[in-house]
Amino acid sequence: MPTIHEHAQALAERTVALRRDLHQHPEIAFEEVRTMNVVAERLRALGLAPRTGVGKTGVVAVWDSGRPGPTVLARADIDALPVPEEKDVPYRSQREGWMHACGHDGHTAVLLSVAEVVVARGDELRGRVVFLFQPAEEVVRGAEAMLADGALDGLVPDHTVGLHLTSTYPTGVVAVRAGPAMAAADTFRLEVHGRGGHAAKPNETIDPIVVASHLVLALQALVSRETDPVDQAVISITSMHGGTAFNIIPEAAELKGTLRTFDTDTRTRLKQRILEVAAGIAATFGARVSPTWIEGSPAVVNDAAATERLRSVATRIVGADRVIEAAPIMGGDDMALWLQQAPGCYFFVGSRGGEASAWPHHHPRFDLDEAALPIAVEVLANAVVDLLQG
Ligand SMILES: [Zn+2]
Ligand SMILES: [Zn+2]
C-alpha cells in the first residue's frame, strides 16, 4: 500500500487531466449536467453507487467501510461562472462566455482523487465518507437545493470538511481559520416610489432620485456609526437606477445592494436597520419604499477543534511555516450549510505559482497553478482519514 503522499503523487497526472477536461467544459449554476455525469462515471469506476440529480445537478456518493465509525462529509463545488475566458492555454474554455474562473474545476478533480485514495485504503479505515459534489455555489443556492432534495437522508454526519483553492496564497501554503471565516452574504432591492413630473417643476413632484441619493448616504452610517469597529460588516449599494430622460422626474428609482456580516446578531440588526432607514428616509420626503430582502447563505463558521485537527494534518504535509492563519473573507460560500450539518473546517489551499496563476478569482484570466492539485489531494485525503478515526 503506497502512502497517501505517494498515492496523491501517482494520481497527479490524472487529477490535472480531469481538471483540464472540466476547464474546457465549464457549466454554470444548475446547468452542470456534463460535469455531473463525468463525476458520476468516475465514482462508479471506483465501485461506488453515486446518486445523481440531487438538487438538480448535484452528486452524492457514500463510501462505507462496513465497520462502525464516524460519518464524514467531504464537499466540492462544481460550477463555473458566466465569465468569458481571456487566457490562451491549450485547455481553454470551449464554451463561449462561460469559464471556470474560481477553481471549482480543481475542487472537483481533487475530491475525485481523494475518493480514489479513500477507496484504495478501505481495509484500514472505519466509518463512512459522504462525497458531495455540489452545484451552484456561485449563486449560493446549490447546498440548499441538495439538502432539500434529501442529500443527507438517512445519514447522521459527525464531521464536515472541504477546501477552496486560492490565488491569494502561493502554492504550498495552507490557510486555516477557526470561527467565522467567510461572511454571510445577503442581498436586497429597495424600490423608491415618488411622484413623477416635469423636471422644471420639481415642487409638484416627489423626486425618487433625490430620495434614493439620501438613502445611499444614510445607509453608509449604519456600518460607520452603528456597528462596533471590531465587528466587521459591509453594506454596499451596487446598482442605482431611475429615470429615462433629461426633463422628466421619474415615478420610481431602484437601489440594489448587499450586506456582508460574520456575526448573527449583527446580521439581524443591520437588516432591520436598513429597512428602518429606508422607510424613514422615504417618509421624510413623502415617498415610499418597497423592499425585497434576499437571504443569502449564513457565515462559514469553522469549529475550533476541527480546525486544530486540520492544522496539524496540514503541518505534517507542508510544514509548520506554510500553515498560516487565513484572513477572514467578506465573500460568502454555501459551504456554510454543510458546516451546519456537522462541525468541521473549510480551509484554503494556495494555488498561485507565478504570474499566470496570480489573477484574482472571477477574473477572465484566472488560472490555477496545477502543482497545487496533488497538495490539495494529499491534505484533504489525510484530513478525511484523520476524521474517520473519531
Ligand atoms: Zn467564486
Ligand atoms: Zn469559488
Side-chain angles (χ1 to χ4, degrees), residues 77 79 102-104 107 137-138 164-165 333 346 361-362:
D77 44 13
D79 55 325
C102 202
H104 301 185
H107 304 165
E137 186 284 322
E138 295 292 359
H164 206 302
L165 295 158
D333 192 311
Y346 192 41
H361 291 249
H362 296 198

Side-chain angles (χ1 to χ4, degrees), residues 16 86 202-203 210 228 266 274 276 363 372:
V16 167
E86 274 179 22
N203 53 305
V210 171
D228 186 334
T266 306
I274 287 169
E276 279 172 8
H363 190 281

